[in-house]
Amino acid sequence: MEDPTQIDSINKTCYNIQNRNKMGCVHVVSNIPNIVLFALQRLEGKGFDAYLVGGCVRDSLLGMTPHDWDICTDALPEEILQCFEDQEVVCTGMRHGTVGVVLEGQMLEITTFRLDGTYSDQRHPDQVTFTKSLELDLKRRDFTINAMAYHLQKGVIDLFGGRADLQAGKIRCVGDAKTRFTEDALRILRGLRFSATLGFCVDETTARAMHQERMGLRAVAMERIRGEWDRILLGGNASIVLSDFFSIVAVLIPELQSCFISNDQAQVEWRSLANTIASSPPSRAVRWVLLLDLITRRRDAGVARQILQQFCYGQKEVQYILQLFKHKEKKLLPEPPCVKRVLRLLGMQGILDLIAVQEALATSKGCRRALGNLRRVKSLAREIVGSGACYSLDMLAVNGKDLIELGIPEGPKVGGLLEKIMMQVIDDQLENNRESLLHYAKGVLHEFS
Ligand code: ATP
Ligand code: MG
């Protein structure tokens, strides 16, 4: 049975990560996918130790479906390669002990047990050392809930109280928190991310060390920071994390420091913003606009672009967020021409995001009349889009070529006339059919020739 070469031949019925709930009954939390079982059994069949580790054990014990399944083993990278010589492998991470094995089109990461060396740049361990000890591998991991392993026969290996912390909903460092954050300050944000997404609280000692070591985040690459920050911002528990860890957010966005005139005011306004953000839909653009709204209350609006660029978002995303930001106070009337104009400007997702921003701001100000109005705008926008009504140039029944054929010289005048026709259609003065649009165009041709 060991070392099956066919993934389909695996008997997986007995391999489930199990967890006891408070009543003491065992229930299956998650099924391990066939390809993962195959890899574990293949390594074990060749005489190595193989475990599931990290996020997949944590998520399985929480009853969630893991999005990746990491395997750790005492096999050295070369030995992992030999074990999977009949499979497609990816070797780019081998220096750090990771071999990617592609099974049924999916890549599994298999990593040799390792200890991280010193961290002279607070980013990468200077060197990694492979080890035969699972314990040492678990010890280098960031939080107790991420430092558990699972073995097909031995079950859950929990050397640092990860299960108890999972049950208590606690984020706690493995080892001395201060040391762990000086080694790699990104762990501070990872901890806040787990708190924001899982709704866990941060253990007191760990929280204190996060505050103390927060300046280390300045040395961390923005791409790494952004990955965690986005998940904090969108997390279901974002309100508490943002409120309680202002000093850390202010390291990421230094512009926050100068937007309050006193500490008391900072406390009140920041908490209120954290609640507003958390009650808005989990859209990155919407939540960023709410944040930028606060930052720019006492600053030049130009800082908004700078901040987004510092976070290295793509150009398209920056443009989109800035567009929403620019129109955040736009008057939205529940009337077709107004809604169509905004649809034209921002598209359907854009108008929904803009409404979400305005709803969040209105809620924070207790402005109920505005909320009713926004609800009507939203349903009207859906109605307009659902009916196929025209609100953009590409939906117009005539195009530039048609106008040129009528005798308009090629160039900006074509755009000018198209715009005029578009506005007539949006304002319900003209029906969007070719005949009536061409008839109208002929009537105003003299203005454009
Ligand atoms: P998710 O995959 O849901 O984002 P995760 O905890 O699995 O969460 P990964 O980046 O996939 O995160 O990392 C896998 C495991 O590697 C973690 O569970 C943890 O044990 C360890 N790990 C990741 N990053 C660090 C780090 N910066 N310091 C220490 N251990 C880490
Ligand atoms: Mg993971």
Side-chain angles (χ1 to χ4, degrees):
M1 281 304 286
E2 289 291 340
D3 191 12
T5 47
Q6 292 299 310
I7 293 172
D8 289 348
S9 72
I10 293 167
N11 171 10
K12 60 184 276 190
T13 48
C14 54
Y15 297 135
N16 292 305
I17 296 186
Q18 294 184 328
N19 186 23
R20 277 171 201 278
N21 67 17
K22 283 185 185 144
M23 307 295 287
C25 32
V26 174
H27 60 272
V28 173
V29 173
S30 166
N31 287 335
I32 304 170
N34 273 353
I35 55 164
V36 179
L37 286 175
F38 171 80
L40 290 167
Q41 291 178 350
R42 174 66 73 91
L43 286 160
E44 290 275 331
K46 300 269 182 190
F48 298 106
D49 277 341
Y51 299 82
L52 291 173
V53 71
C56 64
V57 179
R58 176 197 69 222
D59 290 347
S60 295
L61 290 176
L62 284 171
M64 293 160 40
T65 307
H67 60 86
D68 50 15
W69 296 82
D70 292 329
I71 292 175
C72 64
T73 175
D74 63 348
L76 290 168
E78 290 295 338
E79 294 170 326
I80 301 174
L81 278 186
Q82 279 164 18
C83 286
F84 295 94
E85 61 188 356
D86 57 340
Q87 308 291 340
E88 186 188 338
V89 289
V90 178
C91 300
T92 43
M94 269 183 71
R95 222 164 50 88
H96 296 105
T98 301
V99 173
V101 179
V102 183
L103 298 170
E104 293 189 342
Q106 269 178 278
M107 190 166 82
L108 271 186
E109 292 202 334
I110 304 178
T111 306
T112 307
F113 294 155
R114 57 172 231 225
L115 11 152
D116 295 343
T118 49
Y119 285 70
S120 47
D121 66 352
Q122 295 188 346
R123 275 186 244 185
H124 318 286
D126 298 332
Q127 80 283 338
V128 297
T129 310
F130 301 133
T131 168
K132 287 279 165 193
S133 157
L134 170 67
E135 181 177 352
L136 291 179
D137 184 87
L138 294 178
K139 213 170 156 183
R140 73 171 169 91
R141 293 174 185 272
D142 47 9
F143 301 104
T144 58
I145 58 167
N146 291 342
M148 288 181 279
Y150 180 80
H151 187 271
L152 291 180
Q153 274 81 41
K154 298 178 218 162
V156 177
I157 314 289
D158 175 18
L159 306 177
F160 306 102
R163 276 182 110 163
D165 284 342
L166 267 189
Q167 290 230 316
K170 193 172 272 188
I171 306 297
R172 192 162 54 93
C173 279
V174 174
D176 176 61
K178 226 163 140 13
T179 312
R180 302 315 310 282
F181 294 140
T182 26
E183 288 168 356
D184 179 8
L186 185 76
R187 291 174 187 152
I188 298 172
L189 290 190
R190 280 179 54 87
L192 297 188
R193 182 254 285 194
F194 291 119
S195 174
T197 54
L198 300 175
F200 283 18
C201 63
V202 183
D203 160 77
E204 214 177 295
T205 312
T206 298
R208 202 173 319 117
M210 283 177 167
H211 281 290
Q212 286 168 346
E213 296 307 321
R214 66 187 186 280
M215 286 308 174
L217 282 165
R218 288 188 176 167
V220 178
M222 195 34 110
E223 284 74 14
R224 294 179 82 206
I225 288 187
R226 195 189 56 214
E228 301 301 333
W229 166 251
D230 284 350
R231 293 167 86 173
I232 294 171
L233 194 61
L234 298 184
N237 194 37
S239 161
I240 293 180
V241 171
L242 293 175
S243 294
D244 290 355
F245 294 92
F246 173 78
S247 66
I248 293 171
V249 180
V251 175
L252 308 184
I253 310 172
E255 291 80 359
L256 271 171
Q257 306 275 12
S258 57
C259 74
F260 305 111
I261 27 185
S262 70
N263 273 347
D264 286 350
Q265 184 221 9
Q267 285 264 336
V268 175
E269 285 196 21
W270 180 250
R271 266 178 206 282
S272 150
L273 177 78
N275 288 331
T276 305
I277 284 182
S279 57
S280 69
S283 141
R284 190 155 63 194
V286 168
R287 294 190 171 189
W288 260 110
V289 172
L290 295 171
L291 194 54
L292 293 171
D293 175 60
L294 175 89
I295 297 172
T296 53
R297 272 182 217 164
R298 284 181 197 84
R299 289 186 67 124
D300 178 353
V303 78
R305 177 184 294 275
Q306 269 171 34
I307 294 174
L308 292 172
Q309 283 172 343
Q310 276 157 21
F311 272 77
C312 302
Y313 289 111
Q315 203 47 37
K316 244 175 128 177
E317 180 149 23
V318 170
Q319 284 312 115
Y320 181 69
I321 299 174
L322 289 177
Q323 176 91 322
L324 274 186
F325 175 74
K326 182 171 151 198
H327 296 292
K328 65 184 171 8
E329 272 144 29
K330 193 174 185 67
K331 187 121 194 77
L332 297 177
L333 301 173
E335 293 160 10
C338 171
V339 173
K340 284 184 194 168
R341 277 186 163 79
V342 182
L343 276 169
R344 182 175 180 209
L345 192 67
L346 302 174
M348 184 58 178
Q349 190 54 50
I351 197 170
L352 291 178
D353 282 348
L354 182 62
I355 291 169
V357 166
Q358 295 198 357
E359 279 175 340
L361 293 173
T363 308
S364 73
K365 290 175 196 143
C367 197
R368 290 175 63 187
R369 245 187 61 199
L371 288 175
N373 186 59
L374 288 167
R375 257 197 307 278
R376 284 192 289 280
V377 173
K378 199 189 307 186
S379 68
L380 186 54
R382 292 206 168 108
E383 219 174 277
I384 290 171
V385 172
S387 73
C390 169
Y391 58 82
S392 68
L393 281 182
D394 59 337
M395 300 166 101
L396 207 59
V398 294
N399 59 27
K401 236 173 99 199
D402 297 321
L403 301 186
I404 292 166
E405 277 168 17
L406 283 187
I408 306 245
E410 276 187 50
K413 286 186 175 164
V414 177
L417 179 50
L418 273 177
E419 185 63 27
K420 193 173 171 87
I421 297 172
M422 182 79 234
M423 283 308 148
Q424 292 290 316
V425 172
I426 280 185
D427 289 341
D428 286 333
Q429 302 296 315
L430 271 180
E431 248 187 76
N432 185 32
N433 67 56
R434 200 176 149 74
E435 207 177 311
S436 54
L437 298 190
L438 288 176
H439 178 75
Y440 173 81
K442 280 182 198 151
V444 294
L445 210 55
H446 60 279
E447 296 173 31
F448 292 88
S449 45

